[in-house]
Amino acid sequence: MAADVALPRAAATRGRSGAIGDFLFRHLTFLFALLVLLILGGVIVALVEGALPALRTFGVPFLFADVWNPVTEKFGALAPIYGTLVTSAIAMLVGIPVAFGVAVFITEICPKWLKRPLATMIELLAAIPSIIYGIWGLFVFAPFVQRYIEPAIINSLGQVPGIGRLFAGPPLGIGVLTAGFILAIMVLPFISSIMRDVFETVPAILKESAYAVGATRTEVVRHIVLPYTRTGVVGGIMLGLGRALGETMAVTFVIGNAHRISASILQPGTTISASLANEFTEAVGDLYLSSLIALGFILFVITFIVLAIAKLMLLRLQKQAGG
Amino acid sequence: MDLYARRRIANGVVMSLSVAATGFGLLWLVLVLWTLIENGIAAITPALFSQMTPPPGSSGGLLNAIFGSVMMTLIATLVGTPTGILAGTYLAEYSRGSRFGETVRFINDILLSAPSIIVGLFIYEVIVVRMGHFSAWAGAMALAIIVIPVVVRTTEDMLNLVPNALREAAAALGSPKWKVIVMVSYRAAIQGMVTGVMLAVARIAGETAPLLFTALNNQFWSTNLNAPMANLPVVIFQFAMSPYADWQVLAWGGALLITVTVLCLNIGARALASWGTFKQ
């Protein structure tokens, strides 16, 4: 009889201490999960607060003004925004086809024993810190571009009426094109590893059926793999774009940091992140500092939107693959 | 036959292009590493590890910068890892299907790819402005914010791989859920979680942008976490952009040092991860 009573009591006390432990642990982990949201919220609040003086002074025209004069304290974001978008566009133009080629090679052609090492090596491109790309770009790549690539471009594309203006000017080595190209190398591993992942989700039976009716590898990729993974591929591209837009150090080294918009992509320019890296610690005057923070806020909004779209597209593919 | 030949040629062209693209990608890895070794190896001397960053025109090393980098990376990892692990635990163990969990996961993935210079701005506003000066603490906190999303993500992924049968077996023995998580789930996932932390360390070891306006730089030896502190990435940035040959050589040496560290951490993390999957 005593044992009968003691047993439930022991179980009950143990249950209670377990319940307290559970309560504590659950809420502890919850708090830290909440912290992730708070960080994002904090970033938004801090940037808006810092940008407020500039936004109040210049208003919406801040976005469209092509002026950056610390002496007269007139600031506009157009040149950095333009530079950010153009370098990222160049990066995408070069990076997407190469990333696609790499992903196709690794998933469709490459012998099995080579897959892992090859994929790892491509991903190591993403592990190299961006400052390394910067120093390499400044001392090795930019002089190479100046000596060989830009003269060739100026002599060929530069002579074509119309688009020639895009490739005009002296070969400086440093400029928008060089920055865009280095960005392409940097985002290549991000895009190709996502493409590779989504290509692997294509059911083997679909591909085998296509091969069985005589399709070539190209046709399998074109008509089976790509349609099946379209949202994932676009998601991967958007993720790469998000990286390219916010990349700082590599661009800062090679873009030339000129607050102006040139028609020619061979000329120096600047991006939002490069302006911040170069000028922030040297900015004197509250309005100057605030304008730089406003630039940062614009960059944050742009990358947030791009990354959110990327994430949503990848989620959609995940759901499709899951059910 | 004509159609067949055309399809074969098209296939040949596309497949060769894809091989060429892979070669093109690998070429840059080789080129970057080769130039680093070529230019950096000359700077790897005992002086690099024993002397301070010099003024222009005299010889020196990177000791204060190496110390600063190690220090800030260490603090950032010590702050970011527990935070990330606990948040990742919530996502994997408690929030299945909940709206809050979905939101945190979504925001975390965005933080994972968000520009690191924005993190620097955030810490500048929150810590540097409030404290009134640049400091190593601010730099370490900026790096910690970069560590957190990486660890959250890998912790969640690794806990999701733990078979539910393990949890059910422990729960059937009467252990409360927190004990199941700490004693069973963590132990089963520890390898992957360590991998995640290593990748996070590799990521912040070379981060420059968030340190530019948080830790700033320091020409001298300093162990004061409340003052600006030298660190390798910012020193490399400053020295490489300078016109002085001595400084540029040191920048190459620092660049080689960082790259070797980061690549070793990365390859080590991958080896650890694949050893785990092999065992399973």
Side-chain angles (χ1 to χ4, degrees), chain A residues 65 95 98 102 130 139 146 162 164 179 183 187 197 199 221 242 274-275 299 313:
Chain A
V98 177
V102 173
S130 75
F139 288 111
Q146 182 180 20
L183 280 181
V187 296
D197 284 350
F199 286 177
V221 170
S275 302
L299 174 67
M313 299 200 94

Side-chain angles (χ1 to χ4, degrees), chain A residues 21-22 26 29-30 32 35 42 101 105 109 116 123 127 131-132 136 139-140 214 218-219 280 289 293 296 311, chain B residues 7 11 15 18 22 35 83 86 90 100 109 118 121-122 124-125 177-178 213 233 240 259 262 266 270 274:
Chain A
D22 263 348
R26 189 194 161 94
T29 57
F30 173 81
F32 280 95
L35 187 70
F105 181 81
I109 309 176
R116 273 295 284 273
E123 277 167 26
I131 186 153
I132 305 300
W136 175 80
F139 288 111
V140 181
T218 306
E219 287 159 351
F280 199 84
L289 210 58
I293 296 174
K311 183 71 189 138
Chain B
R7 285 176 54 208
N11 186 48
M15 291 301 128
S18 133
T22 311
T35 13
T83 311
L86 286 171
Y90 182 83
F100 174 75
D109 277 1
I118 298 289
L121 274 184
F122 168 57
Y124 175 84
E125 282 286 308
K177 185 157 184 178
W178 70 271
F213 22 87
T259 310
V262 167
N266 249 282
R270 275 159 213 273
S274 66

Side-chain angles (χ1 to χ4, degrees), chain A:
Chain A
M1 205 54 192
D4 270 64
V5 178
L7 194 65
R9 187 177 296 155
T13 48
R14 199 180 321 135
R16 213 177 301 133
S17 76
I20 293 169
D22 263 348
F23 178 85
L24 288 177
F25 194 69
R26 189 194 161 94
H27 285 80
L28 184 72
T29 57
F30 173 81
L31 279 180
F32 280 95
L34 193 64
L35 187 70
V36 173
L37 295 189
L38 290 181
I39 290 176
L40 185 89
V43 169
I44 295 172
V45 171
L47 290 183
V48 169
E49 196 192 318
L52 220 50
L55 295 179
R56 240 188 230 133
T57 313
F58 302 114
V60 181
F62 180 74
L63 285 173
F64 309 106
D66 178 19
V67 52
W68 194 264
N69 193 334
V71 180
T72 58
E73 298 213 305
K74 293 265 180 293
F75 300 102
L78 194 63
I81 293 178
Y82 173 83
T84 304
L85 297 181
V86 172
T87 49
S88 298
I90 295 171
M92 291 294 113
L93 225 55
V94 179
I96 294 171
V98 177
F100 180 72
V102 173
V104 168
F105 181 81
I106 292 178
T107 52
E108 306 294 325
I109 309 176
C110 174
K112 212 167 178 187
W113 59 270
L114 193 62
K115 263 189 187 184
R116 273 295 284 273
L118 202 60
T120 307
M121 281 170 78
I122 291 289
E123 277 167 26
L124 283 185
L125 272 177
I128 295 176
S130 75
I131 186 153
I132 305 300
Y133 283 103
I135 184 173
W136 175 80
L138 180 68
F139 288 111
V140 181
F141 189 61
F144 175 79
V145 170
Q146 182 180 20
R147 269 185 80 180
Y148 301 105
I149 298 182
E150 287 186 344
I153 292 177
I154 292 167
N155 290 330
S156 53
L157 289 171
Q159 307 306 319
V160 181
I163 64 163
R165 288 185 54 201
L166 274 174
F167 308 100
L172 298 169
I174 277 175
V176 174
L177 180 67
T178 310
F181 195 87
I182 289 183
L183 280 181
I185 301 169
M186 297 181 70
V187 296
L188 157 71
F190 291 102
I191 304 179
S192 87
S193 83
I194 293 212
M195 282 185 179
R196 194 163 51 84
D197 284 350
V198 298
F199 286 177
E200 302 276 9
T201 65
V202 179
I205 195 155
L206 287 184
K207 291 202 275 186
E208 282 159 11
S209 314
Y211 281 125
V213 295
T216 62
R217 273 178 178 150
T218 306
E219 287 159 351
V220 169
V221 170
R222 168 89 182 72
H223 299 292
I224 308 291
V225 175
L226 270 184
Y228 191 87
T229 57
R230 200 180 303 125
T231 45
V233 167
V234 177
I237 290 172
M238 297 297 269
L239 199 70
L241 178 61
R243 290 269 174 180
L245 289 166
E247 183 47 58
T248 309
M249 296 320 292
V251 175
T252 307
F253 271 94
V254 295
I255 198 162
N257 305 303
H259 272 279
R260 62 160 185 260
I261 299 175
S262 322
S264 166
I265 58 169
L266 305 184
Q267 297 305 305
T270 190
T271 67
I272 293 177
S273 47
S275 302
L276 284 170
N278 262 306
E279 300 171 37
F280 199 84
T281 44
E282 282 151 26
V284 276
D286 290 343
L287 201 56
Y288 193 2
L289 210 58
S290 173
S291 299
L292 284 169
I293 296 174
L295 279 185
F297 182 63
I298 294 168
L299 174 67
F300 179 75
V301 172
I302 299 174
T303 48
F304 188 92
I305 293 169
V306 169
L307 291 172
I309 294 172
K311 183 71 189 138
L312 288 174
M313 299 200 94
L314 290 170
L315 273 177
R316 225 167 80 189
L317 186 82
Q318 222 171 17
K319 278 193 187 126
Q320 174 195 327

